[in-house]
Amino acid sequence: MTLDDRATITDTVVRMGWYLDRRDWDGLRGLFTEHVFTDYTDLWGGQPREGTVDQLLSTTAQGSWRRTMDGLEATQHLITNVLVDVDGDQARATANVLGVHRLTNPHGSPLWTVGGTYDFGLNRTGAGWRIQAITYRISWVDGNQQVLFRAAMAAAAEAA
């Protein structure tokens, strides 16, 4: 593994949080492979998902990032302590993540905060390192989880 690989992979996974918080959907799209595996079952239950990056960032798909994030007033995702392992054109990166989600609502605190770890699978492509898979492992939660549910409902109503 070269230092350039390590730096580029670290930059890619950190940019994911940066772009998400700024709702930079084109920037996010550029960080992923065309097909993406996501596993948030530790947080939401259900099953891991596989689909296109466009489905992940859709305004209408159930469980899509954009559908939920567009309904929030603000978020801040801090992705830190990135550890990288490279094997040829494949890489794994693990990182701590702290996500703060804000939405004023009539049913409790406007904040929902979650801490945990990400495990990323990345592929080297002609355009550079791209995220192919994300698994989230929860460590702790604080606040009002209704913030995310209300944001998803508001975004879905707006998209309809």
Side-chain angles (χ1 to χ4, degrees), residues 16 20 32 37-49 56 63 65 77 97 117-118 120 134-138:
M16 187 186 82
L20 186 60
F32 290 92
F37 170 88
T38 57
D39 183 349
Y40 283 84
T41 58
D42 217 35
L43 187 60
W44 304 116
Q47 299 295 318
R49 295 179 182 203
L56 178 66
W65 289 4
H77 292 84
V97 62
T117 58
Y118 273 132
F120 295 94
I134 302 171
T135 299
Y136 179 76
R137 296 289 177 236
I138 192 169

Coordinates of all heavy atoms in Angstrom, one line a residue, residues 16 20 32 37-49 56 63 65 77 97 117-118 120 134-138:
M16 N -17.5 11.5 2.2 CA -18.8 11.0 2.2 C -19.7 11.8 3.2 O -20.8 12.3 2.9 CB -18.9 9.5 2.5 CG -20.2 8.9 2.4 SD -20.3 7.2 2.9 CE -20.4 7.4 4.7
L20 N -22.6 14.6 2.3 CA -23.9 14.3 2.9 C -24.4 15.5 3.7 O -25.6 15.8 3.5 CB -23.8 13.0 3.7 CG -25.1 12.5 4.3 CD1 -26.1 12.1 3.1 CD2 -24.9 11.3 5.2
F32 N -18.9 6.8 -5.2 CA -19.4 5.4 -5.2 C -19.2 4.7 -6.5 O -19.2 5.3 -7.6 CB -20.9 5.3 -4.8 CG -21.1 5.7 -3.4 CD1 -21.4 7.0 -3.0 CD2 -21.1 4.8 -2.4 CE1 -21.7 7.4 -1.7 CE2 -21.3 5.1 -1.1 CZ -21.6 6.4 -0.7
F37 N -23.4 -1.8 -2.0 CA -24.0 -2.6 -0.9 C -24.0 -1.8 0.4 O -23.0 -1.2 0.7 CB -23.1 -3.9 -0.7 CG -23.5 -4.7 0.5 CD1 -24.4 -5.7 0.5 CD2 -22.8 -4.4 1.7 CE1 -24.7 -6.4 1.6 CE2 -23.1 -5.1 2.9 CZ -24.1 -6.1 2.8
T38 N -25.2 -1.7 1.0 CA -25.2 -1.0 2.3 C -25.9 -1.9 3.4 O -26.8 -2.6 3.1 CB -26.1 0.3 2.2 OG1 -27.4 0.0 1.8 CG2 -25.4 1.3 1.3
D39 N -25.3 -1.9 4.6 CA -25.8 -2.7 5.7 C -25.9 -1.7 6.9 O -25.0 -1.4 7.6 CB -24.9 -3.8 6.0 CG -25.4 -4.7 7.1 OD1 -26.3 -4.4 7.8 OD2 -24.8 -5.8 7.3
Y40 N -27.2 -1.3 7.1 CA -27.5 -0.5 8.3 C -28.4 -1.3 9.2 O -29.1 -0.8 10.0 CB -28.2 0.8 7.9 CG -27.2 1.8 7.4 CD1 -26.7 1.8 6.0 CD2 -26.7 2.8 8.2 CE1 -25.8 2.7 5.6 CE2 -25.7 3.7 7.7 CZ -25.3 3.7 6.4 OH -24.4 4.6 6.0
T41 N -28.3 -2.6 9.1 CA -29.2 -3.5 9.9 C -29.0 -3.4 11.4 O -29.9 -3.6 12.2 CB -29.1 -5.0 9.5 OG1 -27.7 -5.4 9.6 CG2 -29.6 -5.2 8.1
D42 N -27.7 -3.0 11.8 CA -27.4 -2.8 13.2 C -28.2 -1.7 13.8 O -28.6 -1.7 15.0 CB -25.9 -2.6 13.4 CG -25.3 -3.2 14.6 OD1 -25.8 -4.3 15.0 OD2 -24.4 -2.6 15.2
L43 N -28.6 -0.7 13.0 CA -29.3 0.4 13.4 C -30.8 0.3 13.2 O -31.6 0.6 14.0 CB -28.8 1.7 12.6 CG -29.3 3.0 13.0 CD1 -29.0 3.4 14.4 CD2 -28.7 4.1 12.0
W44 N -31.2 -0.2 12.0 CA -32.6 -0.3 11.6 C -33.3 -1.6 11.6 O -34.5 -1.8 11.4 CB -32.8 0.3 10.2 CG -32.3 1.7 10.1 CD1 -31.2 2.1 9.3 CD2 -32.7 2.9 10.8 NE1 -31.0 3.5 9.4 CE2 -31.9 4.0 10.3 CE3 -33.7 3.1 11.7 CZ2 -32.1 5.3 10.8 CZ3 -33.8 4.4 12.2 CH2 -33.0 5.5 11.8
G45 N -32.4 -2.7 11.7 CA -33.0 -4.0 11.5 C -33.1 -4.3 10.0 O -32.5 -3.7 9.2
G46 N -34.0 -5.3 9.7 CA -34.2 -5.6 8.3 C -33.0 -6.3 7.6 O -32.3 -7.0 8.3
Q47 N -32.9 -6.1 6.3 CA -31.8 -6.7 5.6 C -30.9 -5.7 4.9 O -31.3 -4.6 4.6 CB -32.5 -7.6 4.4 CG -33.4 -8.6 4.9 CD -32.7 -9.7 5.7 OE1 -31.6 -10.1 5.3 NE2 -33.3 -10.2 6.8
P48 N -29.6 -6.1 4.7 CA -28.7 -5.3 3.9 C -29.3 -5.0 2.5 O -30.2 -5.8 2.1 CB -27.5 -6.1 3.8 CG -27.5 -7.1 4.9 CD -29.0 -7.4 5.1
R49 N -28.9 -4.0 1.9 CA -29.4 -3.6 0.6 C -28.3 -3.6 -0.5 O -27.2 -3.2 -0.2 CB -30.1 -2.3 0.6 CG -31.3 -2.2 1.5 CD -31.9 -0.9 1.5 NE -33.1 -0.9 2.4 CZ -34.1 -0.1 2.4 NH1 -34.1 0.8 1.5 NH2 -35.1 -0.2 3.2
L56 N -29.6 4.6 -4.0 CA -29.1 5.1 -2.7 C -29.4 6.6 -2.5 O -29.7 7.0 -1.4 CB -27.6 4.8 -2.6 CG -26.9 5.2 -1.3 CD1 -27.5 4.4 -0.1 CD2 -25.4 5.1 -1.4
G63 N -35.8 4.2 2.2 CA -34.5 4.0 2.8 C -33.4 4.8 2.1 O -32.2 4.6 2.5
W65 N -30.8 7.7 1.1 CA -30.2 8.8 1.9 C -30.9 10.1 1.7 O -31.2 10.9 2.6 CB -28.7 8.9 1.6 CG -27.9 7.7 2.2 CD1 -28.4 6.6 2.8 CD2 -26.5 7.6 2.1 NE1 -27.3 5.8 3.2 CE2 -26.1 6.4 2.7 CE3 -25.5 8.4 1.6 CZ2 -24.8 6.0 2.8 CZ3 -24.2 8.0 1.7 CH2 -23.9 6.8 2.3
H77 N -21.9 14.7 10.2 CA -21.3 13.4 10.3 C -19.8 13.5 10.4 O -19.2 14.1 9.5 CB -21.7 12.6 9.0 CG -23.1 12.2 9.0 ND1 -24.1 13.1 8.5 CD2 -23.8 11.1 9.4 CE1 -25.3 12.5 8.6 NE2 -25.1 11.3 9.1
V97 N -17.6 7.0 13.5 CA -18.5 8.0 12.9 C -19.5 8.4 14.0 O -19.9 7.7 14.9 CB -19.4 7.4 11.7 CG1 -20.2 6.2 12.1 CG2 -20.2 8.5 11.1
T117 N -19.3 2.7 14.1 CA -18.2 2.5 13.2 C -18.7 2.2 11.8 O -19.8 1.6 11.6 CB -17.3 1.4 13.7 OG1 -18.0 0.2 13.8 CG2 -16.6 1.7 15.0
Y118 N -18.0 2.6 10.8 CA -18.2 2.2 9.4 C -17.1 1.2 9.0 O -15.9 1.4 9.4 CB -18.1 3.4 8.5 CG -19.3 4.3 8.3 CD1 -19.3 5.6 8.4 CD2 -20.5 3.7 8.0 CE1 -20.4 6.4 8.2 CE2 -21.7 4.4 7.8 CZ -21.6 5.8 7.9 OH -22.7 6.6 7.7
F120 N -15.9 0.1 5.3 CA -16.0 0.4 3.9 C -15.3 -0.6 3.1 O -14.2 -1.0 3.4 CB -15.4 1.8 3.5 CG -16.1 3.0 4.2 CD1 -15.6 3.5 5.4 CD2 -17.2 3.6 3.6 CE1 -16.2 4.6 6.0 CE2 -17.7 4.7 4.1 CZ -17.3 5.2 5.3
I134 N -20.8 -0.4 2.3 CA -20.7 0.3 3.7 C -21.5 -0.6 4.6 O -22.7 -0.9 4.4 CB -21.4 1.7 3.6 CG1 -20.7 2.6 2.6 CG2 -21.3 2.3 5.0 CD1 -21.5 3.9 2.4
T135 N -20.9 -0.9 5.7 CA -21.6 -1.5 6.9 C -21.4 -0.6 8.1 O -20.3 -0.2 8.4 CB -21.0 -2.9 7.2 OG1 -21.1 -3.8 6.0 CG2 -21.6 -3.6 8.3
Y136 N -22.5 -0.4 8.7 CA -22.6 0.5 9.9 C -22.8 -0.4 11.1 O -23.7 -1.2 11.1 CB -23.7 1.5 9.8 CG -23.7 2.4 11.0 CD1 -22.8 3.4 11.2 CD2 -24.6 2.2 12.0 CE1 -22.8 4.2 12.4 CE2 -24.6 3.0 13.2 CZ -23.7 3.9 13.3 OH -23.7 4.7 14.5
R137 N -22.0 -0.2 12.2 CA -22.1 -0.9 13.4 C -22.4 0.2 14.5 O -21.6 1.1 14.7 CB -20.9 -1.7 13.8 CG -20.6 -2.8 12.8 CD -21.7 -3.9 13.0 NE -21.5 -5.0 12.0 CZ -22.4 -5.4 11.1 NH1 -23.6 -4.8 11.1 NH2 -22.1 -6.3 10.3
I138 N -23.5 0.0 15.2 CA -23.9 1.0 16.2 C -23.1 0.8 17.5 O -22.9 -0.4 17.9 CB -25.4 1.0 16.4 CG1 -25.9 2.1 17.2 CG2 -25.8 -0.3 17.1 CD1 -27.4 2.2 17.2

